[in-house]
Amino acid sequence: MYKLSDEQLITLFKKGHASALEELVQRHKDKLYTSIVLLVKDSFLAEDIFQDTFIKIIDTIRAERYTEKGKFLPWAMRIAHNLCVDYFRKIKRTPIIKTSDDKDIFNVLSFSESSAEEKLITRQSHDRVRRMLDMLPEEQREVIILRHYADLSFKEIADLTQVSINTALGRMRYGLINLRKMMTEKQICL
């Protein structure tokens, strides 16, 4: 099943093949989960939103309302993003920017086997990047996360965040400028 396209897997799932859905989840779980956890900054909440995302995906596909032919991941990211926004609207606050976190989100990413020293260096670099991302304004952080962790195009990011492409590009530009400033000021080397 891993050789099938997302569309083929969706068609199989509609016909009752649960393994097709499992393949879709496996194929996209890292990007979706990582993007959610970077937006909400809470791994337990991210797990809940991740599950809610796939429940909504399943319900939409079963109800024959899925129309995003060839664009499953951007569609799934839009659902996840909207669920994050709904959560923050519900509790009537915006995400708090923290400088540290009790869980390393990079544990969900797969890396090739490396020595203990390389793993430590990699983990420290990821921690630094995560802390710097946490210090960015929400709009800049969101665009960087969606672009680099979710691999969305600027058009998809603009649609998802309901801004123009130029605004999304500007937010990315200023976010990267701010990250570079932080690295220079704090003499951080990745």
Side-chain angles (χ1 to χ4, degrees), residues 127-169:
D127 286 344
R128 285 185 206 117
V129 170
R130 188 187 70 243
R131 283 194 299 271
M132 288 189 303
L133 276 172
D134 289 347
M135 289 187 245
L136 289 176
E138 175 67 25
E139 298 85 14
Q140 294 172 12
R141 185 178 73 235
E142 182 178 45
V143 170
I144 289 172
I145 290 168
L146 293 173
R147 179 73 178 140
H148 289 285
Y149 291 96
D151 281 336
L152 296 183
S153 70
F154 283 105
K155 180 176 182 349
E156 292 166 336
I157 292 169
D159 292 342
L160 186 63
T161 57
Q162 297 177 346
V163 298
S164 71
I165 290 177
N166 287 337
T167 300
L169 288 166

Side-chain angles (χ1 to χ4, degrees), residues 82-158:
N82 289 343
L83 288 171
C84 291
V85 169
D86 290 348
Y87 168 78
F88 287 115
R89 279 186 187 144
K90 182 177 175 184
I91 61 169
K92 294 185 181 178
R93 68 174 177 85
T94 57
I96 297 171
I97 297 175
K98 301 177 194 172
T99 57
S100 64
D101 192 316
D102 56 314
K103 281 212 174 182
D104 184 0
I105 56 102
F106 295 98
N107 287 337
V108 299
L109 300 175
S110 57
F111 297 100
S112 60
E113 277 303 308
S114 28
S115 70
E117 181 182 3
E118 289 171 331
K119 287 180 183 177
L120 178 62
I121 291 168
T122 300
R123 186 170 35 247
Q124 288 172 342
S125 292
H126 290 166
D127 286 344
R128 285 185 206 117
V129 170
R130 188 187 70 243
R131 283 194 299 271
M132 288 189 303
L133 276 172
D134 289 347
M135 289 187 245
L136 289 176
E138 175 67 25
E139 298 85 14
Q140 294 172 12
R141 185 178 73 235
E142 182 178 45
V143 170
I144 289 172
I145 290 168
L146 293 173
R147 179 73 178 140
H148 289 285
Y149 291 96
D151 281 336
L152 296 183
S153 70
F154 283 105
K155 180 176 182 349
E156 292 166 336
I157 292 169

